[in-house]
Amino acid sequence: MRGTTAGIAVFGAALAMSGQAHALDEVYIGVLQHNICVTDCKNADKEDGPVVELQADFESPEFLHWAYSPRPYVVASVNVSGDTSFVGVGLDWRFEIGDKWAISPGVGYVIHDGETNLPYPDGSPEAAAFTEEHVLLGSRDLFRTTLGVSREIGEHWEVQGFFSHLSHGQILGNGRNQGMDQLGVRFGYRFGG
C-alpha cells in the first residue's frame, strides 16, 4: 500500500485501545467488488478489484447504550490489484429483524492510500490519462458509511451481504470528492453465541 504509515499507526492504536477496553464480539472477513456503480457511475470503471476486508467488532461500552449500543470496530480493506486500500475505525449497530436475520448500519473514519487530486495541471494530456484510471478522492481521510444484511448459519457463524461508501462529504476535505462504493459478501464469527 502506498503511504500507509499513518494509517497503520491509526489502525494499531485503535486495535490496542479497543482490545484493552472491551471484549472482542465478532470478526468479519469478506471479498468485495471495488468501486461499483451506485452513487457515482461515471467513475465506476476506474480502478480495479476485488478487495479483501477484515473487520473486528468489540462489545458496546456502557456509555453508548443511549445510542442503541453500537459496537466499536477496526477495519482493514486491501485492494488485491494495488488500487485504493484503507484502514479505519467506527461504530456498527446490529438490529435483529427476524429469526436469524439482522441489519447492521455503520459509520466510520478511514485513511486510504489512493489518489486525492491530480498530480498534473488540469487540462493537460497527462491529467486526462490519469483521471481515466484513478478515482480522485480529494482527501487522505474519509468517512465510511456501511450497511450489512446478515443471516445466521449456525450458533456462531453468519453470512452478510455488505455495502460500503467512502467519501469526505466536503467536511474532511474540499474540492474533488468522487467517492467510492464497494459491495460484496462477508462471513462473520460471533464470540459467545
Side-chain angles (χ1 to χ4, degrees):
M1 291 171 54
R2 301 180 302 264
T4 58
T5 305
I8 291 170
V10 168
F11 183 73
L15 183 59
M17 290 187 311
S18 297
Q20 292 173 358
H22 309 285
L24 187 61
D25 187 42
E26 188 164 12
V27 293
Y28 294 97
I29 186 164
V31 177
L32 291 86
Q33 180 57 44
H34 181 70
N35 196 31
I36 63 167
C37 174
V38 174
T39 59
D40 193 350
C41 293
K42 68 180 181 280
N43 291 310
D45 61 343
K46 300 175 183 179
E47 299 201 1
D48 207 352
V51 297
V52 175
E53 189 162 287
L54 179 62
Q55 180 173 313
D57 284 16
F58 298 88
E59 291 178 353
S60 183
E62 284 287 326
F63 73 89
L64 289 176
H65 286 326
W66 65 272
Y68 301 100
S69 301
R71 301 179 299 174
Y73 72 76
V74 293
V75 64
S77 184
V78 177
N79 185 302
V80 300
S81 298
D83 287 320
T84 304
S85 298
F86 63 85
V87 295
V89 296
L91 296 173
D92 264 346
W93 285 260
R94 182 180 178 88
F95 301 106
E96 305 296 327
I97 57 172
D99 186 34
K100 300 184 183 240
W101 289 91
I103 188 167
S104 300
V107 296
Y109 167 85
V110 302
I111 296 173
H112 69 91
D113 68 348
E115 300 299 335
T116 56
N117 293 298
L118 281 172
Y120 306 103
D122 206 0
S124 70
E126 295 88 359
F130 191 82
T131 58
E132 286 180 17
E133 296 179 15
H134 301 283
V135 177
L136 303 178
L137 295 166
S139 176
R140 185 61 52 208
D141 48 346
L142 303 170
F143 293 116
R144 177 181 185 244
T145 53
T146 61
L147 181 63
V149 178
S150 302
R151 170 81 164 115
E152 293 178 14
I153 53 175
E155 183 179 353
H156 296 281
W157 292 95
E158 69 179 43
V159 63
Q160 182 181 72
F162 188 75
F163 170 79
S164 73
H165 174 71
L166 303 175
S167 171
H168 66 65
Q170 301 298 334
I171 297 170
L172 296 174
N174 56 37
R176 292 191 184 271
N177 183 27
Q178 293 180 336
M180 186 174 294
D181 299 315
Q182 299 183 142
L183 179 68
V185 176
R186 304 193 312 176
F187 290 91
Y189 181 85
R190 298 185 75 188
F191 298 90

